[in-house]
């Protein structure tokens, strides 16, 4: 299958164009301008709010004027990540896509289907002249990936519809009716650099090739976290040998991604350097065995490196002990049977970076229960504060609670069964959706979220399952045709 054969052609045409437009989170100006010009050139009511969110309205097709107004919503920004050895400028270069069997992928970078494919579906609906629908509002929010600031900045009244369909989910056949709230916790150790002990030998350890993934939707998949693995090794060596000193520790980029690679620089007594190399090889083998299903492409490297100043030993010890101790992964499972054993509360240690006098740690906490979200954040804060760091949690974003009497959910399920002769799965998601913020500002809105199947989002392995785009397209058209009257 070539890219020219992709179906539905109207959607993939829009997606191809979107992927030529740079749209990193917080730098969506070119995409905003494109959407504004696109809507206005077609004579559609187009508005950009002061935050940068875009809404394009289209009147009902003849005979459908009395139907309730449907909002379709997606976010315009994308996570920008690439393979270490790939040269790519996300502020200027177009995403290079290719077809691999039934999957659409990108060459060494994130694909941007999260949530460019949602944007493409909306534009294709707006551009079509053969789809029956009532009044529709297509909303494109900015900066969803790094803080939901587009949805946060949206004022009441910007959207006026009765139903909202969020097109930012990643499993076709699953209808999402609830999402987690989230907060970030940052910790900072401060120190003064000093000379390494005499007779020290400097070594660099590197780990790469982990699968990584979305820190909410993939947190239950037992994927390796590069930060936790490297910290484990350093914890073992610092306990085993006196005089092991830390100079650098770097891993992770984004608050909402499981870190896939990382490195450290240590100084060790010259007489134990070969022991440390041997320990590294044994440790690598043990970890590969632990993650032999999820992470099969781990790459380990240990080599000598140039001498440099080290982090104060006590601070380094406290830092490594805190990383060893801090919670990472699933903390609690939902007790609500309707949500089918979904993860309720979790935490992900997302990035660690050292500078001349600081170690900065970023982690993200999620929960569908806001009181337990507070508890999870406090657990992370306490761990780092006990180790001597400063720690603070952000305000975050709210959870979206399931609506038991949702007429939209009923319609979405019925049309799915009519179209595909099987029941969809109705569930919550352990990730942040903008629906949580919309539910605060627009409490009357009846909302669902669905979309085509994506895998390995937030990583260079991100891929879109091509056949599911047609399924979502057909489903969405049938929903619009059957929206009830006002």
């Amino acid at each position: 299958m070539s890219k020219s054969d992709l179906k539905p052609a109207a959607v993939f045409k829009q997606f191809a164009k979107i992927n030529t437009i740079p749209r990193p989170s917080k730098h969506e100006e070119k995409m905003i301008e494109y959407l504004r010009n696109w809507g206005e050139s077609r004579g559609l009511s187009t508005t950009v709010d002061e935050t940068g969110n875009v809404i394009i309205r289209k009147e009902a097709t003849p005979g459908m004027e009395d139907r309730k107004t449907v909002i379709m919503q997606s976010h315009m920004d994308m996570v920008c990540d690439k393979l270490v050895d790939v040269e790519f400028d996300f502020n200027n270069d177009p995403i290079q896509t290719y077809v691999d069997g039934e999957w659409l992928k990108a060459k060494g970078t994130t694909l941007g289907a999260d949530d460019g494919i949602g944007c493409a579906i909306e534009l294709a609906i707006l551009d079509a002249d053969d789809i029956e629908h009532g009044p529709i509002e297509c909303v494109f929010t900015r900066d969803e990936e790094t803080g939901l600031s587009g949805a946060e900045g949206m004022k009441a009244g910007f959207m006026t519809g009765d139903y909202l369909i969020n097109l930012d989910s990643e499993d076709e056949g699953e209808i999402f009716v609830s999402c987690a709230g989230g907060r970030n916790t940052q910790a900072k150790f401060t120190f003064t650099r000093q000379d390494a002990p005499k007779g020290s030998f400097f070594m660099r350890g590197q780990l790469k090739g982990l699968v990584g993934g979305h820190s909410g939707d993939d947190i239950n998949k037992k994927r390796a976290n590069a930060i936790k693995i490297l910290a484990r090794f350093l914890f073992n060596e610092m306990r085993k040998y006196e005089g092991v000193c830390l100079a650098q520790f770097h891993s992770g980029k984004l608050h909402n991604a499981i870190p896939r690679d990382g490195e450290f620089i240590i100084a060790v007594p010259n007489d134990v350097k070969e022991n440390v190399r041997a320990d590294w090889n044994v440790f690598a083998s043990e970890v590969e065995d632990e993650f032999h299903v999820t992470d099969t492409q781990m790459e380990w490297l240990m080599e000598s490196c140039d001498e440099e100043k080290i982090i104060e030993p006590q601070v380094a010890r406290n830092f490594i002990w805190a990383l060893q101790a801090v919670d990472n992964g699933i903390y609690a499972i939902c007790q609500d049977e309707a949500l089918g054993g979904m993860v309720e509360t979790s935490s992900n240690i997302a990035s660690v970076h050292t500078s001349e006098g600081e170690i900065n740690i970023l982690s993200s906490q999620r929960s569908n229960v806001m009181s337990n979200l507070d508890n999870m954040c406090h657990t992370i804060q306490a761990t780092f504060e006990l180790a001597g760091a400063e720690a603070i949690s952000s305000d975050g974003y709210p959870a979206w609670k399931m609506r038991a009497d949702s007429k939209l959910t009923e319609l979405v399920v019925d049309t799915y069964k009519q179209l595909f002769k099987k029941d969809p799965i109705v569930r919550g998601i352990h990730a942040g959706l903008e629906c949580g913020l919309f539910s605060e500002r627009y409490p009357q809105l009846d909302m669902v979220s669905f979309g085509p199947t994506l895998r390995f989002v937030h990583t260079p392995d991100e891929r879109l399952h091509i056949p599911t785009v047609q399924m979502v397209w057909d489903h969405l058209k049938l929903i619009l045709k059957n929206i009830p009257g006002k």
Side-chain angles (χ1 to χ4, degrees):
M1 181 189 300
S2 68
K3 288 195 287 185
S4 62
D5 296 325
L6 298 179
K7 305 292 183 184
V11 174
F12 281 102
K13 175 184 175 183
Q14 299 292 346
F15 186 56
K17 176 60 181 177
I18 287 168
N19 268 347
T20 68
I21 304 168
R23 49 197 172 91
S25 300
K26 292 185 166 59
H27 298 281
E28 306 93 339
E29 294 79 9
K30 293 178 182 178
M31 185 65 177
I32 293 168
E33 190 61 22
Y34 172 74
L35 291 170
R36 186 206 302 269
N37 292 337
W38 190 95
E40 291 177 349
S41 70
R42 287 159 175 77
L44 300 173
S45 172
T46 304
T47 303
V48 181
D49 72 5
E50 59 189 33
T51 303
N53 302 307
V54 180
I55 187 167
I56 304 176
R57 293 182 170 89
K58 187 178 182 182
E59 295 180 356
T61 54
M64 303 279 284
E65 294 86 355
D66 66 337
R67 304 300 177 95
K68 290 188 174 183
T69 300
V70 175
I71 304 163
M72 287 169 281
Q73 182 266 323
S74 54
H75 64 84
M76 65 182 84
D77 62 318
M78 65 174 284
V79 168
C80 297
D81 196 10
K82 65 182 185 67
L83 297 176
V84 175
D85 56 353
V86 170
E87 292 189 10
F88 193 88
D89 181 359
F90 283 100
N91 291 308
N92 294 290
D93 297 340
I95 303 296
Q96 301 294 317
T97 64
Y98 67 99
V99 176
D100 182 4
E102 292 189 337
W103 297 90
L104 187 67
K105 302 178 181 179
K107 297 178 181 178
T109 71
T110 38
L111 174 64
D114 175 18
D115 187 24
I117 196 63
C119 296
I121 290 170
E122 289 188 70
L123 292 176
I125 291 285
L126 288 169
D127 213 26
D129 57 10
D130 59 348
I131 297 174
E132 296 179 79
H133 60 78
I136 57 177
E137 298 179 346
C138 286
V139 175
F140 308 85
T141 51
R142 73 178 306 177
D143 191 30
E144 187 268 352
E145 297 289 4
T146 62
L148 299 142
S149 63
E152 176 68 39
M154 184 188 295
K155 293 182 178 178
F158 184 66
M159 304 185 295
T160 63
D162 305 282
Y163 295 147
L164 186 144
I165 299 172
N166 169 277
L167 295 167
D168 187 25
S169 294
E170 299 160 11
D171 295 275
E172 192 286 320
E174 298 188 1
I175 312 301
F176 296 92
V177 295
S178 170
C179 77
R183 297 168 69 184
N184 289 340
T185 299
Q186 294 176 287
K188 181 175 72 173
F189 291 87
T190 57
F191 60 87
T192 301
R193 288 197 175 268
Q194 59 186 53
D195 293 331
K198 290 184 178 180
S200 292
F201 184 83
F202 279 76
M203 312 176 78
R204 176 185 288 108
Q206 293 180 314
L207 172 61
K208 62 181 181 178
L210 307 187
V211 173
H214 190 286
S215 62
D217 204 32
D218 295 324
I219 202 71
N220 63 337
K221 296 181 171 65
K222 199 184 181 292
R223 294 179 182 170
N225 179 309
I227 292 170
K228 289 290 286 184
I229 289 175
L230 294 177
R232 275 173 61 181
F233 176 76
L234 294 176
F235 177 78
N236 293 339
E237 299 306 286
M238 286 180 171
R239 293 184 70 194
K240 191 172 181 180
Y241 307 113
E242 288 189 16
V244 175
C245 301
L246 180 66
Q248 302 285 347
F249 193 122
H250 299 282
S251 180
K253 302 179 183 72
L254 306 167
H255 77 97
N256 52 6
I258 300 168
R260 298 179 295 110
D261 49 58
E263 69 172 27
F264 60 75
I265 294 176
I266 53 175
V268 304
N270 194 63
D271 60 353
V272 302
K273 64 182 180 183
E274 295 307 322
N275 302 52
V276 173
R277 289 186 197 275
D279 291 345
W280 175 257
N281 293 333
V282 171
F283 180 75
S285 177
E286 291 173 345
V287 171
E288 286 176 356
D289 184 58
E290 285 181 33
F291 296 95
H292 69 279
V293 174
T294 58
D295 291 82
T296 60
Q297 303 297 321
M298 292 185 179
E299 296 180 37
W300 305 77
L301 173 68
M302 178 162 278
E303 60 185 359
S304 61
C305 61
D306 294 337
E307 180 179 337
E308 59 179 87
K309 290 184 178 293
I310 62 167
I311 298 168
E312 288 178 59
Q314 187 60 50
V315 175
R317 183 184 188 280
N318 291 350
F319 159 64
I320 294 300
W321 261 240
L323 285 184
Q324 176 69 34
V326 72
D327 267 293
N328 189 79
I330 298 171
Y331 183 80
I333 298 295
C334 283
Q335 298 184 32
D336 191 333
E337 292 183 3
L339 295 178
M342 183 183 76
V343 176
E344 175 211 277
T345 306
S346 72
S347 183
N348 174 61
I349 303 301
S351 69
V352 173
H353 293 286
T354 53
S355 63
E356 187 61 27
E358 293 182 358
I359 307 171
N360 287 286
I361 303 144
L362 176 63
S363 64
S364 63
Q365 290 73 53
R366 302 175 188 268
S367 183
N368 291 60
V369 179
M370 296 308 286
S371 59
N372 213 10
L373 178 61
D374 287 340
N375 177 46
M376 186 79 261
C377 291
H378 294 160
T379 299
I380 304 303
Q381 284 181 264
T383 303
F384 286 114
E385 287 176 354
L386 284 169
E390 301 174 29
I392 187 170
S393 295
S394 66
D395 293 334
Y397 53 89
W400 166 32
K401 294 183 179 179
M402 182 173 62
R403 184 169 176 165
D405 62 346
S406 170
K407 299 298 182 184
L408 180 57
T409 300
E410 183 179 339
L411 172 62
V412 170
V413 169
D414 287 346
T415 50
Y416 191 91
K417 290 163 66 175
Q418 177 184 336
L419 196 59
F420 301 116
K421 312 306 179 188
K422 61 181 180 179
D423 292 331
I425 298 169
V426 179
R427 53 165 293 204
I429 187 172
H430 188 64
L433 292 174
E434 290 156 301
C435 296
L437 287 163
F438 297 150
S439 67
E440 284 194 332
R441 206 137 316 152
Y442 299 86
Q444 82 287 353
L445 265 183
D446 195 351
M447 298 183 286
V448 299
S449 177
F450 60 83
T453 297
L454 301 175
R455 289 293 177 263
F456 306 114
V457 297
H458 299 182
T459 80
D461 286 328
E462 181 186 357
R463 59 196 65 184
L464 168 65
H465 194 218
I466 295 164
T468 63
V469 180
Q470 184 72 59
M471 296 175 73
V472 169
W473 177 249
D474 292 341
H475 188 203
L476 185 57
K477 290 192 296 181
L478 190 58
I479 292 168
L480 293 175
K481 183 178 179 178
N482 287 278
I483 292 292
K486 298 176 183 177

